[in-house]
Amino acid sequence: MAFELPKLPYDYNALEPYIDEATMRVHHSGHHQGYTNGLNAAIAGTDMENMTIEEILATVDPCNKAVRNNGGGYFNHVMYWKIMSPNGGGQPSDDLAKHIDDTFGSFDQFKEKFTKAGLGRFGSGWAWLTFECGNLRIGSTANQDNPLMQFADIKGRPILGMDVWEHAYYLKHQNKRGGYINDFFNVINWEEVDRLYHKVK
Ligand code: MN3
């Protein structure tokens, strides 16, 4: 069964002024559609047609660049749209908030470390917050790799992913990735992050 580009859970302009409409439009209808098409083409006629995207990523051969890049791109962006919201921002609550405080010291220290992970990824990639074996971890991956892949730079179940490709911010922020990351924090949908946290706990 072919993978489909999911509809955005809000309008293209809904994350203004933090994420601009033009970026959202080309990012979703252009880039994400491209990964979706590329994934479907790459798995056509293989056993992967009957697998979930999580199963595909957990077993993909690192040298299978078509599935690695397009499958990663498909999954990463499905998560990205969901973990942003026009009603986002603020901070997590309850046990996730406590877990973040216990692990990183405070929410501000978490934000600082997550920001560093995004700024420190040279070229294109993603910053991640993962949860596995009771531990929260921050890290980053190159290109469209993600923590479900066996060979990723950070492992675990992703519960928050931030796109740091230039296509995610260049129209509004040009070369200022830090400005985008700051804006991203104003739209993080902590309810969804919390759902993913409890789903894998
Ligand atoms: Mn992207």
Side-chain angles (χ1 to χ4, degrees):
M1 207 177 71
F3 290 96
E4 286 181 12
L5 180 71
K7 279 208 166 70
L8 281 187
Y10 39 75
D11 292 335
Y12 282 125
N13 65 2
L15 302 180
E16 296 264 8
Y18 303 113
I19 313 283
D20 61 288
E21 179 178 356
T23 295
M24 288 298 294
R25 194 175 288 280
V26 69
H27 201 173
H28 177 259
S29 70
H31 294 278
H32 198 187
Q33 182 71 66
Y35 298 125
T36 306
N37 296 346
L39 172 63
N40 286 328
I43 64 172
T46 76
D47 289 347
M48 286 183 275
E49 276 188 316
N50 301 311
M51 292 162 69
T52 65
I53 187 62
E54 288 86 356
E55 289 167 341
I56 290 172
L57 299 179
T59 55
V60 65
D61 186 298
C63 295
N64 186 343
K65 292 288 172 60
V67 172
R68 177 180 178 177
N69 292 333
N70 291 291
Y74 177 78
F75 174 90
N76 294 348
H77 290 85
V78 169
M79 167 183 249
Y80 183 65
W81 311 132
K82 284 188 189 162
I83 54 89
M84 296 192 291
S85 164
N87 306 312
Q91 299 188 10
S93 55
D94 302 328
D95 49 342
L96 176 57
K98 183 176 185 315
H99 203 161
I100 284 177
D101 286 351
D102 290 347
T103 304
F104 305 108
S106 64
F107 181 78
D108 285 346
Q109 282 173 281
F110 158 76
K111 183 178 177 183
E112 193 178 321
K113 195 170 179 202
F114 192 80
T115 298
K116 263 190 194 154
L119 288 174
R121 173 51 63 179
F122 185 79
S124 298
W126 291 73
W128 300 99
L129 176 66
T130 67
F131 183 56
E132 189 176 60
C133 299
N135 297 311
L136 289 172
R137 281 196 198 87
I138 288 171
S140 71
T141 55
N143 303 314
Q144 296 295 354
D145 285 356
N146 69 56
L148 296 177
M149 297 174 176
Q150 305 285 326
F151 45 85
D153 290 348
I154 175 174
K155 312 282 198 312
R157 286 286 312 194
I159 63 171
L160 175 65
M162 177 175 67
D163 193 342
V164 295
W165 283 57
E166 281 188 346
H167 69 223
Y169 61 85
Y170 199 85
L171 294 180
K172 177 171 157 70
H173 291 283
Q174 285 80 54
N175 61 325
K176 303 284 194 289
R177 187 183 284 183
Y180 156 73
I181 294 174
N182 223 35
D183 277 351
F184 176 78
F185 267 88
N186 284 305
V187 294
I188 294 179
N189 179 359
W190 285 109
E191 273 181 32
E192 176 64 9
V193 179
D194 192 63
R195 192 185 69 78
L196 293 170
Y197 172 72
H198 284 97
K199 186 178 163 187
V200 301
K201 202 170 179 179

